[in-house]
Amino acid sequence: MDGWDWRNDDAGIRRALSHPLDGLLFDLEHNDLWWPEWGERPASAAERAEVLTAIVGAAPRLIPLIAHRYIPETPSEAGNPVLSVMQADVIYYGANLTEYFANEFGGTYHLGSPRRIPFWSELVERNR
């Protein structure tokens, strides 16, 4: 599994940055993703996409690590969880970066107590 070459892979990084929203937009139209707190589901796909894009835009941005593993940019301090993001299927892959590396490359899986991240943690909780 390779990480991103932040100096030379602008196109790949842009795809990785857009991956979480793109996957959620797919689930919005193909897998009935819509939370009641977002209000009444708009009739048009464009309106639904506009609502979801605004919601994701207000959430902490995810920084791509490797493949579909991300770390939230905020809060801007040590201890943010690492998330595995595949459309609306979002899980914690480590309570922090150190734990993530142990889980991903150490052959065992342990999940401590991850910090709650607005929106993204709610996706995790709704997947349980």
Side-chain angles (χ1 to χ4, degrees):
M1 212 182 285
D2 292 329
W4 304 104
D5 181 349
W6 287 89
R7 294 169 295 180
N8 299 310
D9 191 9
D10 289 346
I13 292 167
R14 288 185 198 290
R15 280 191 307 276
L17 288 167
S18 69
H19 173 81
L21 176 59
D22 292 344
L24 292 170
L25 290 170
F26 178 88
D27 277 357
L28 183 69
E29 295 309 316
H30 301 284
N31 294 316
D32 296 324
L33 174 65
W34 192 263
W35 295 355
E37 54 270 31
W38 297 345
E40 189 171 328
R41 185 178 169 99
S44 80
E47 289 174 310
R48 290 189 294 272
E50 186 178 322
V51 169
L52 184 56
T53 299
I55 290 166
V56 172
R61 189 165 190 173
L62 298 181
I63 300 168
L65 296 174
I66 297 171
H68 52 87
R69 310 287 196 252
Y70 293 82
I71 191 164
E73 74 172 343
T74 55
S76 186
E77 56 191 52
N80 285 345
V82 173
L83 301 164
S84 174
V85 180
M86 290 298 295
Q87 296 165 227
D89 183 13
V90 178
I91 63 169
Y92 293 116
Y93 221 79
N96 54 54
L97 195 58
T98 301
E99 187 179 275
Y100 159 69
F101 283 120
N103 289 341
E104 187 77 77
F105 303 108
T108 62
Y109 183 81
H110 170 76
L111 183 63
S113 299
R115 172 182 288 147
R116 187 154 175 48
I117 304 297
F119 180 72
W120 301 108
S121 292
E122 192 168 353
L123 269 170
V124 171
E125 292 159 6
R126 288 173 184 251
N127 283 322
R128 290 186 183 158

